[in-house]
């Protein structure tokens, strides 16, 4: 797949089928001197914290790639009852956000393998992390990438929304 043409692509991200496809696109963009930012997460119930993270991440580069955890990986690393929304729905929602250029699904509990394959210039993580606590920090360091802590203070969470909804009954 060719790199996204910023003049004709409107505000919809390209949904990629695999990390290999994304790595090829990122390679092409890198040859053009573009800076690539990668953000990853579940993005189950989209909230303002997600928006602020992605907006901040996008401001740090030319292209924003978002990796969305598969349903199976969310069940393994978060909770067997999650996610609330299916992976295809979460990917469609993320792809519709202004500023997101590419989106794809990944199956691992951490983003190490996709970071190693894509080698983004910047890996954006939420404020629930510090640069020292990012699980993928060694992978990022291996190729000379940078970690950026993005978004606002971590006081938004899908789990908090779920709890509020439960209390409304």
């Amino acid at each position: 797949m060719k790199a996204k043409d910023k003049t004709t692509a409107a505000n919809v991200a390209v949904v990629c089928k695999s990390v290999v496809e994304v790595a090829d696109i990122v390679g092409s963009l890198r040859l053009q001197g573009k800076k690539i930012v990668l953000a990853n997460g579940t993005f189950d119930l989209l909230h303002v914290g997600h928006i602020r993270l992605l907006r901040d991440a996008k401001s740090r580069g030319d292209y924003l790639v978002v990796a969305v955890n598969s349903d199976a990986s969310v069940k393994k690393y978060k909770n067997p009852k999650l996610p609330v929304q299916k992976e295809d729905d979460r990917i469609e929602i993320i792809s519709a956000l202004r500023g997101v250029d590419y989106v794809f699904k990944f199956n691992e509990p951490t983003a190490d393998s996709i970071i190693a394959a894509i080698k983004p210039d910047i890996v954006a993580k939420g404020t629930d992390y510090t640069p020292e606590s990012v699980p993928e920090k060694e992978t990022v360091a291996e190729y000379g990438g940078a970690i950026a802590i993005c978004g606002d203070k971590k006081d938004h969470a899908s789990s908090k929304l779920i709890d509020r909804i439960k209390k409304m009954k």
Side-chain angles (χ1 to χ4, degrees):
M1 173 177 274
K2 289 181 76 174
K4 181 177 169 180
D5 179 350
K6 298 293 262 185
T7 61
T8 61
N11 287 330
V12 179
V14 174
V15 177
C16 299
K17 301 282 186 223
S18 70
V19 69
V20 172
E21 181 181 358
V22 175
D24 288 345
I25 292 167
V26 167
S28 296
L29 294 170
R30 190 167 285 114
L31 289 174
Q32 299 170 35
K34 303 300 183 186
K35 185 183 274 189
I36 310 303
V37 181
L38 172 74
N40 70 282
T42 303
F43 302 103
D44 196 2
L45 296 178
L46 199 63
H47 55 71
V48 72
H50 292 129
I51 300 302
R52 291 172 181 162
L53 164 77
L54 295 172
R55 187 181 300 139
D56 187 356
K58 175 66 176 194
S59 75
R60 296 167 188 260
D62 299 306
Y63 286 85
L64 176 59
V65 177
V66 179
V68 177
N69 286 88
S70 68
D71 291 348
S73 70
V74 174
K75 288 179 185 317
K76 281 182 193 169
Y77 91 93
K78 278 196 172 192
N79 182 326
K81 294 181 180 180
L82 293 175
V84 173
Q85 298 188 87
K86 302 250 181 260
E87 60 195 36
D88 290 341
D89 294 342
R90 293 181 286 121
I91 288 169
E92 184 176 341
I93 290 167
I94 294 298
S95 73
L97 297 176
R98 182 177 31 199
V100 176
D101 297 297
Y102 299 94
V103 62
F104 70 103
K105 170 182 74 172
F106 75 107
N107 294 311
E108 297 80 15
T110 70
D112 284 300
S113 65
I114 62 171
I115 290 169
I118 297 169
K119 295 180 178 56
D121 298 286
I122 299 171
V123 173
K125 298 299 256 187
T127 57
D128 46 338
Y129 292 98
T130 66
E132 298 76 31
S133 72
V134 170
E136 304 88 356
K137 70 180 178 197
E138 290 178 15
T139 303
V140 176
E142 284 175 11
Y143 68 87
I147 294 171
I149 304 303
C150 296
D152 64 350
K153 182 178 161 235
K154 178 72 175 183
D155 60 357
H156 315 283
S158 296
S159 59
K160 286 183 180 180
L161 289 174
I162 292 167
D163 289 343
R164 275 187 67 201
I165 291 166
K166 285 178 180 177
K167 290 176 184 174
M168 297 172 101
K169 286 188 168 191

